[in-house]
Amino acid sequence: MLRAILTASAVVAALLSPATAHAEGTGQDVPRLTDRHGRVLTLHGWNIEDKEHRGEEALTGITERHLRDMRAKGFDFARLLVFWDDLEPAPGHYSRRYLRQIERVLDWAERYDVKVVIDAHQDVFGPAFGHRGIPEWATRTDGLPFTAHPDDWFAEYFEPAVQRAFTHLYEDADLRRAQAAMWRTLAARFAHHPAVLGYDLVNEPMGESRPGEDLATAARRIERDQLTPMYNRLADGVRSADRDAWLFVEPTPIVGEGVPTGLGRVDDPRVVYAPHFYDTAMEAGADYDPGAGWIEAYERAVTAYPKRYGVPVVVGEWGSPDSSLPHMNRFYRDAMASLGRYTSGWAGYVWCYGGGYCAADADGAFRPNKELTAEPYAESVAGTVRSASYDPGSGVYRLTYRAAGHGSRVSILSLPPGTWRITADGSARVLRPSPGRARVLAAPGSRVSVSVERG
């Protein structure tokens, strides 16, 4: 998550200037995510995490309630944070207990029919700097200084020791092998778990800037010269154990400022571009500014990579630390409309019960304005989607698609709590809905129109 430190960069400030072009239509030519049966997927969900517990207690902060409540609210997707430092506490020693804890969460996800992406998460590299992620034994700083910033943890990414640690991770042969082996271990264990959709290879990667580089130039170079080969190495590691899962690749967080990524091609047929969607001003506590053009600038920048390389987009994190501010209703409406134009889905940050970023309060009710993330959508379509849109004002969702000529004939709609009236045209029929779900059966090759309205 980006912090106020980035706003000091003149190049970023320029990129945040008000946009003049409307972003609608930028999602054209962005491929859609599919499952193993070729059905078009849309993912709406949340990150689930336990950053507090470690070692024997790792992941105990995630309970069955998290998955049950998410599904009950109409969400079908979870991005599960896991930490390399818990998985491999000593070189070559993998924690069987931690693997079992991951599997327990995946089993709950399967029970509630929630798809999961396993995210190799890091914040400020890892435990050597007081956070979670890359193990301390894999952290090399060459003795460079590090100063903690307790009031602005993201600023710690710009400390010399942290930046040098990223350089060693990308360039040292033994650390490259260790990182790939870590992913082989995860993929070998979970390749056949029915809840696993894919793997997010590293969360919010950063790197070391060079003298004279501005932030955008450094980010593009790191993405081009270090992240791209890293992702290709890790893809090879995963594919030695799992041939089918999607591989989620992230740019640096600088893309959130409307900076197009410098990532190159990841040579794998099942790659998802997985940027994050945060505004520095909001991260620092400011209200949303509808006139700043931030969402439009982000949307234009973030769609360039998937169009160039023909990969789908799933936004891995987004949200606001204070959703009660006066313009937050507008923010969530604008953000949901934007995400619906070009992504195959998203994971909000974060499904927990409390304050701050939490989606829900202690009683499980949505925190202010976060109920706007719960809307009808087609979680899987057996065919080619022509259009899909939701109007929050009227409460109407519309879907048109060309049904597949063979294979599955059933598309699945996800519905938030409430009463919904579902209709389909004459070539299709709505099967008996279940709570939170509706299924549409279509004739092979037919054109289908579906409408979902609040009852």
Side-chain angles (χ1 to χ4, degrees):
M1 290 171 279
L2 271 72
R3 296 286 173 179
I5 186 170
L6 302 188
T7 62
S9 168
V11 67
V12 171
L15 287 162
L16 284 173
S17 60
T20 56
H22 194 273
E24 187 169 353
T26 53
Q28 295 177 358
D29 303 323
V30 175
R32 297 299 303 265
L33 188 70
T34 58
D35 66 9
R36 291 181 174 90
H37 306 288
R39 292 173 296 198
V40 175
L41 300 180
T42 299
L43 309 173
H44 285 192
W46 294 84
N47 285 261
I48 53 176
E49 66 179 26
D50 181 4
K51 295 183 178 181
E52 178 181 354
H53 299 95
R54 305 182 184 208
E56 293 292 303
E57 299 300 314
L59 292 178
T60 57
I62 300 174
T63 67
E64 184 174 357
R65 178 191 180 191
H66 287 72
L67 284 305
R68 182 182 64 242
D69 287 359
M70 283 175 54
R71 181 76 260 188
K73 296 287 191 184
F75 301 106
D76 73 331
F77 177 48
R79 180 174 178 259
L80 171 62
L81 278 60
V82 302
F83 300 104
W84 185 2
D85 58 292
D86 266 326
L87 176 62
E88 192 179 0
H93 174 73
Y94 297 99
S95 170
R96 294 180 181 179
R97 180 180 178 84
Y98 193 59
L99 290 167
R100 288 195 300 270
Q101 291 290 82
I102 295 171
E103 188 167 31
R104 182 176 71 158
V105 177
L106 294 175
D107 289 345
W108 289 330
E110 180 188 6
R111 181 175 304 169
Y112 296 104
D113 199 15
V114 172
K115 303 172 188 69
V116 175
V117 165
I118 297 175
D119 160 44
H121 205 83
Q122 65 79 31
D123 293 320
V124 193
F125 204 78
F129 307 109
H131 296 272
R132 306 299 311 281
I134 289 92
E136 197 158 2
W137 58 260
T139 304
R140 296 169 183 166
T141 67
D142 297 338
L144 293 177
F146 169 77
T147 300
H149 298 262
D151 296 329
D152 184 7
W153 67 266
F154 196 88
E156 295 172 4
Y157 274 112
F158 299 90
E159 287 293 314
V162 175
Q163 294 201 337
R164 183 60 53 85
F166 276 105
T167 296
H168 282 294
L169 178 68
Y170 301 145
E171 297 184 359
D172 291 8
D174 61 330
L175 296 184
R176 290 179 176 185
R177 290 192 296 269
Q179 190 183 22
M182 178 272 294
W183 266 117
R184 281 196 300 273
T185 299
L186 283 171
R189 178 64 179 258
F190 301 119
H192 302 294
H193 197 290
V196 173
L197 175 70
Y199 310 107
D200 192 332
L201 298 178
V202 63
N203 176 70
E204 295 186 350
M206 293 287 277
E208 186 170 10
S209 59
R210 294 174 177 169
E213 282 185 325
D214 61 42
L215 197 56
T217 301
R220 290 189 180 107
R221 175 185 53 78
I222 291 163
E223 290 161 343
R224 181 187 66 243
D225 297 343
Q226 294 177 315
L227 298 190
T228 302
M230 178 190 68
Y231 286 140
N232 278 290
R233 290 193 300 273
L234 298 183
D236 290 342
V238 169
R239 291 303 180 220
S240 67
D242 188 336
R243 306 301 303 176
D244 297 322
W246 287 94
L247 303 181
F248 287 58
V249 300
E250 300 188 29
T252 65
I254 313 308
V255 72
E257 297 304 294
V259 180
T261 183
L263 276 178
R265 182 181 299 280
V266 180
D267 191 19
D268 189 277
R270 295 177 70 80
V271 169
V272 177
Y273 184 50
H276 293 179
F277 178 41
Y278 290 115
D279 173 58
T280 54
M282 288 167 54
E283 286 288 285
D287 199 356
Y288 173 57
D289 181 356
W294 165 62
I295 286 180
E296 294 87 348
Y298 174 87
E299 191 170 327
R300 286 194 300 273
V302 85
T303 51
Y305 183 86
K307 289 178 181 180
R308 180 176 183 181
Y309 291 106
V311 299
V313 180
V314 173
V315 167
E317 289 186 25
W318 73 283
S320 167
D322 185 354
S323 62
S324 67
L325 295 172
H327 291 147
M328 282 297 152
N329 185 275
R330 173 71 180 273
F331 166 67
Y332 277 94
R333 291 177 185 274
D334 287 355
M336 288 292 290
S338 176
L339 293 168
R341 283 192 285 268
Y342 66 90
T343 77
S344 285
W346 47 261
Y349 187 83
V350 56
W351 193 271
C352 56
Y353 305 93
Y357 288 97
C358 286
D361 63 21
D363 297 323
F366 277 119
R367 300 193 63 245
N369 295 308
K370 296 191 177 185
E371 74 280 357
L372 295 171
T373 62
E375 62 182 34
Y377 63 98
E379 60 180 78
S380 68
V381 174
T384 303
V385 175
R386 302 300 186 191
S387 65
S389 63
Y390 177 65
D391 181 348
S394 63
V396 177
Y397 171 76
R398 300 187 190 281
L399 168 71
T400 62
Y401 66 98
R402 176 73 67 181
H406 55 83
S408 175
R409 297 170 56 198
V410 176
S411 298
I412 301 175
L413 306 179
S414 181
L415 308 172
T419 302
W420 298 91
R421 183 172 66 256
I422 304 134
T423 58
D425 62 14
S427 63
R429 62 189 179 94
V430 179
L431 305 180
R432 182 184 298 274
S434 57
R437 294 284 186 80
R439 290 167 171 80
V440 177
L441 178 66
S446 62
R447 181 178 176 84
V448 181
S449 296
V450 179
S451 176
V452 180
E453 302 179 51
R454 282 203 177 273

